[in-house]
Amino acid sequence: MDDKNTLKNLSLEQIRSVIEVMQQSSDAYMFILDLNADTYILSKKATKRFPFHTTVIEDCTETLKKVVHPSDYEMVAADLEKCRSGEKDAHALEYRWMDRMNRVVWISCRGTVVSGTENHRLLIGTVSELGKKAKADNVTGLRREAGFRLDMENLLKENPGSIHYMMRIGIDNFKEINEKEGIEAGDEVLRELAECILNTVGEHTKVYRLVADEFMVVDEGQAMRQDSRVVYRQLQRNIAAMAKRKEYSRFYTVSAGVLEGAFGDKTVEDIMRFTEFALNEAKRGGRNQMKPFVQADYDVYLEKLNIRKALRQDVNNDFRGFEVYYQPIVSVSDGFKLVGAEALLRWKNEKYQNVSPAVFIPILEESGLIIPVGKYVLWEAARTCKRWKQYITQFHINVNLSYVQLYKSDLMRDVEKCVQEVGLDPDSLVLELTESGYVETNERIKELFRDLKAKNIDLALDDFGTGYSNMRYLKEIDFATVKIDRSFVVQALQNESDFNIISHIIDMVHSLGSVVCMEGIEEKEELSKMMAAKPDMIQGYYFGKPSPADRFEKDFLGDAASTSVPKGLTDSL
Ligand code: C2E
Ligand code: MG
Ligand code: MG
């Protein structure tokens, strides 16, 4: 027998030198495991990071018991035994080691069996840390998104029917913890929460850490299926109990989005998107709650994204598809007189013919597009008003403002620039603000209102009677007009006590020195009934629906310029 060419005949010193030389060119830890002699030789670098007492380990089995995570040891030992017995010629597993600080480190161990003489088998290979490849996470000891994707690709291919649910969990105020207490505190929270999730979901459920503060729980292949809501509630309780144990040194809650049902037709990408959507819904719904994924809601969300894209394109195309409509505002305190109009935005394009402002205005607000579009409306309305003042000198134009414009643009500058460029009397312009839109009236906003007043630009409080009817605003802010919303008017038409409330509100507004515009009068009977509450102005379908400028001009202006009763309003007398 010729042993000259086998590794066995190299001295330990020579083998160690070979390993150290190879190690210089790699991030991974080199090793040689003598499967028969139970001897393990590995690089010095590995001994610094993991609790190996030396580079040549003669009681490999015992040492590995200490280094390999207890839950993974059996699997690793079984695989090594197969390599030893000749059943396998390679070892390729991902599992957990414990580092010198007893923290979990995910590793990938890959080796090839090299046979020597007398069937002496050596496993030669490398151990690399998965955390470095973002497959596993050394903060929480969990596999990361790359690992999740790999596992799910296999599971979806092989046995999608075994998946019960996937739950994406996110910390509600993680950013705050990181910012206020530092990254280390953030890492500690992630570690604690990972442990808490693992304890809650039970041994067989898989848990992954995705991006930043998000975890994914995969309930798969279990005979005893647990209800996801029960699991989530238990998790909330366990987090609360942990906070108590730690004497409330830190407090946080988690939201969750859960995907259940058939997984056979889904891709990993679908799972990522759907669970992200459900988690965001839970956060939008007020946090500290779990929301299931609902396809119909997702479709609405996608449609909103498409609308947003179309809106953006049209804005960037010189406001293509946008148009300002005008609805008459009629003074009713001394006969019926057309005194102004409200500018109301309309939008359509090839694909979207009939989207209501109630749908597209919030999308413009969320995307910030309301700032350029708001300016477009302001200029359009101001130019139109200037033209119409030739017919009715007292004509004023009401323009709706979004709270986004108030808070995020230089409104005062835009308004001043607009009236100047167009040459419109500032007192012909009325800016409408929605009651619920600006909850906080901070100093900056109050200053803006004062500046507008100083420039003779009036404010109207829109949608009064919906949402939060906060009387404080009426006192705090100098509104020239209060517009009572149609929903409130409809209630007053049906119910005497509501009618009395509206009457009292109108008296109160008058006593504050402001006037009232009642919105949404559609029929003659409604008009006569509501006149008893003494509004100053009325805006409603009865006098006219919102219409394009040329139509408005034809219906209400033209010849009417010289008379006090505008054309089109004679019916109401
Ligand atoms: P708003 O400012 O309260 O405008 C009055 C709404 O009531 C208009 O709906 C108008 O068409 C409707 N209306 C008026 N009279 C009647 C009536 O007799 N019966 C019924 N059923 N409805 C009546 P529109 O045009 O759909 O606008 C909805 C909302 O969209 C507006 O409510 C306003 O909050 C917002 N909006 C419209 N244009 C703009 C804009 O240029 N900028 C901003 N920020 N918001 C706008
Ligand atoms: Mg309005
Ligand atoms: Mg209104």
Side-chain angles (χ1 to χ4, degrees):
M1 264 182 266
D2 183 9
D3 269 356
K4 264 184 212 142
N5 294 325
T6 67
L7 273 164
K8 200 180 156 209
N9 287 348
L10 288 176
S11 72
L12 275 181
E13 217 31 67
Q14 284 170 310
I15 294 175
R16 275 166 63 181
S17 308
V18 170
I19 286 181
E20 292 309 331
V21 169
M22 280 155 58
Q23 181 68 76
Q24 285 168 16
S25 60
S26 170
D27 257 358
Y29 309 107
M30 306 285 168
F31 74 85
I32 297 181
L33 172 57
D34 185 329
L35 291 158
N36 300 80
D38 201 29
T39 305
Y40 196 30
I41 305 173
L42 76 171
S43 70
K44 221 183 275 162
K45 198 167 134 193
T47 64
K48 286 191 180 139
R49 175 118 168 81
F50 299 99
F52 297 105
H53 45 84
T54 159
T55 54
V56 181
I57 294 141
E58 308 229 308
D59 56 344
C60 175
T61 309
E62 280 314 301
T63 305
L64 281 185
K65 265 187 193 158
K66 283 181 212 138
V67 178
V68 176
H69 190 286
S71 308
D72 297 339
Y73 179 75
E74 236 173 81
M75 169 188 77
V76 176
D79 200 74
L80 290 178
E81 176 52 30
K82 282 182 191 161
C83 293
R84 195 196 60 79
S85 68
E87 200 180 315
K88 282 179 90 173
D89 282 328
H91 169 80
L93 283 180
E94 289 176 2
Y95 50 95
R96 288 162 289 184
W97 273 8
M98 309 307 291
D99 72 3
R100 284 193 168 272
M101 312 281 286
N102 211 29
R103 285 176 311 209
V104 172
V105 179
W106 274 95
I107 55 114
S108 166
C109 181
R110 288 171 188 274
T112 308
V113 175
V114 177
S115 294
T117 49
E118 297 159 19
N119 207 17
H120 201 106
R121 293 169 73 82
L122 298 165
L123 181 67
I124 305 177
T126 57
V127 166
S128 44
E129 289 189 34
L130 288 177
K132 293 188 174 154
K133 291 192 209 153
K135 263 194 188 168
D137 176 26
N138 292 340
V139 174
T140 61
L142 298 172
R143 271 161 79 70
R144 295 214 60 159
E145 187 177 325
F148 169 76
R149 285 175 182 271
L150 269 180
D151 289 358
M152 288 311 113
E153 264 159 29
N154 290 333
L155 191 59
L156 290 172
K157 222 183 294 157
E158 280 157 22
N159 196 4
S162 68
I163 308 170
H164 177 207
Y165 69 75
M166 296 207 196
M167 189 194 292
R168 189 160 177 158
I169 299 167
I171 303 174
D172 287 330
N173 50 341
F174 189 64
K175 215 170 142 235
E176 215 174 280
I177 297 172
N178 258 343
E179 279 169 7
K180 280 196 188 147
E181 300 182 44
I183 305 280
E184 293 215 341
D187 282 356
E188 201 181 305
V189 165
L190 289 172
R191 248 192 307 273
E192 270 173 24
L193 181 60
E195 208 180 296
C196 208
I197 296 174
L198 284 167
N199 290 338
T200 309
V201 297
E203 241 181 290
H204 299 293
T205 309
K206 294 197 184 80
V207 182
Y208 300 83
R209 179 179 168 216
L210 304 181
V211 285
D213 61 331
E214 290 181 9
F215 295 84
M216 186 78 95
V217 171
V218 180
D219 185 335
E220 178 257 328
Q222 296 192 55
M224 277 280 294
R225 293 187 158 190
Q226 275 185 298
D227 186 324
S228 57
R229 277 159 304 196
V230 174
V231 172
Y232 174 70
R233 248 176 272 133
Q234 190 55 47
L235 176 64
Q236 283 180 308
R237 269 185 237 124
N238 289 351
I239 293 171
M242 187 169 64
K244 190 173 171 198
R245 266 199 317 277
K246 305 210 163 178
E247 297 176 328
Y248 300 103
S249 55
R250 194 170 291 132
F251 186 76
Y252 55 85
T253 54
V254 296
S255 296
V258 72
L259 181 62
E260 280 170 293
F263 281 83
D265 57 346
K266 296 193 174 64
T267 62
V268 178
E269 229 22 82
D270 291 337
I271 292 169
M272 292 299 281
R273 279 187 289 120
F274 295 170
T275 52
E276 184 184 14
F277 174 73
L279 174 59
N280 284 341
E281 287 283 284
K283 289 192 173 179
R284 264 197 293 273
R287 302 168 163 194
N288 195 21
Q289 57 184 291
M290 186 182 95
K291 280 272 160 89
F293 171 77
V294 180
Q295 185 68 47
D297 294 349
Y298 188 65
D299 292 343
V300 170
Y301 162 78
L302 286 186
E303 183 67 351
K304 259 176 81 171
L305 286 189
N306 287 334
I307 295 177
R308 177 191 293 200
K309 199 169 145 205
L311 283 165
R312 180 168 290 125
Q313 275 168 357
D314 285 351
V315 167
N316 289 326
N317 245 305
D318 206 17
F319 302 98
R320 179 182 69 186
F322 288 96
E323 191 175 358
V324 180
Y325 275 35
Y326 299 89
Q327 187 180 26
I329 296 175
V330 176
S331 160
V332 294
S333 46
D334 178 21
F336 296 116
K337 279 190 214 113
L338 178 68
V339 289
E342 177 170 5
L344 292 160
L345 185 62
R346 296 292 179 265
W347 171 71
K348 65 176 173 205
N349 73 8
E350 280 157 22
K351 190 166 167 214
Y352 298 102
Q353 288 294 313
N354 241 332
V355 189
S356 147
V359 172
F360 74 75
I361 299 271
I363 300 176
L364 290 174
E365 290 180 332
E366 281 160 26
S367 58
L369 287 169
I370 194 72
I371 293 174
V373 174
K375 276 200 220 169
Y376 159 83
V377 175
L378 187 63
W379 257 261
E380 276 292 315
R383 277 194 288 261
T384 308
C385 182
K386 163 119 177 155
R387 239 180 21 246
W388 291 348
K389 278 171 83 71
Q390 296 168 27
Y391 303 111
I392 298 170
T393 38
Q394 296 306 310
F395 200 87
H396 60 79
I397 195 82
N398 286 31
V399 176
N400 291 286
L401 279 190
S402 156
Y403 64 97
V404 178
Q405 291 168 275
L406 281 193
Y407 286 108
K408 302 205 171 147
S409 70
D410 191 347
L411 191 72
M412 196 59 220
R413 198 195 58 187
D414 291 340
V415 169
E416 278 187 304
K417 196 166 165 225
C418 173
V419 289
Q420 207 176 17
E421 272 181 22
V422 174
L424 181 72
D425 284 342
D427 58 7
S428 306
L429 184 62
V430 180
L431 299 177
E432 294 196 7
L433 300 165
T434 338
E435 203 187 355
S436 50
Y438 58 104
V439 187
E440 261 182 80
T441 44
N442 60 26
E443 255 325 297
R444 201 174 73 82
I445 297 296
K446 281 187 191 158
E447 192 187 311
L448 171 72
F449 292 161
R450 277 195 298 269
D451 289 351
L452 286 168
K453 193 169 166 56
K455 290 266 172 241
N456 260 335
I457 293 167
D458 279 344
L459 291 176
L461 178 59
D462 203 359
D463 299 346
F464 190 84
T466 58
Y468 326 77
S469 294
N470 196 336
M471 300 291 173
R472 212 189 66 218
Y473 292 143
L474 284 183
K475 228 178 103 235
E476 257 184 23
I477 301 158
D478 194 357
F479 289 107
T481 312
V482 174
K483 296 187 81 177
I484 298 182
D485 191 71
R486 170 174 158 79
S487 57
F488 202 6
V489 173
V490 168
Q491 280 172 27
L493 285 166
Q494 291 162 353
N495 170 324
E496 206 182 315
S497 63
D498 282 326
F499 179 85
N500 290 334
I501 294 175
I502 284 205
S503 291
H504 287 307
I505 286 176
I506 293 177
D507 285 347
M508 191 194 67
V509 173
H510 286 160
S511 71
L512 288 169
S514 309
V515 296
V516 169
C517 175
M518 207 177 255
E519 287 191 282
I521 300 288
E522 294 184 350
E523 307 289 337
K524 194 164 192 160
E525 301 76 61
E526 294 176 3
L527 177 69
S528 16
K529 197 162 173 193
M530 293 314 289
M531 284 296 282
K534 300 201 180 64
D536 306 276
M537 287 178 281
I538 283 188
Q539 179 184 342
Y541 290 176
Y542 178 67
F543 287 118
K545 288 191 173 179
S547 55
D550 51 357
R551 173 96 232 164
F552 186 100
E553 210 162 328
K554 238 185 250 150
D555 286 350
F556 302 110
L557 302 163
D559 305 341
S562 55
T563 70
S564 62
V565 181
K567 187 171 117 181
L569 297 185
T570 37
D571 272 4
S572 47
L573 288 171

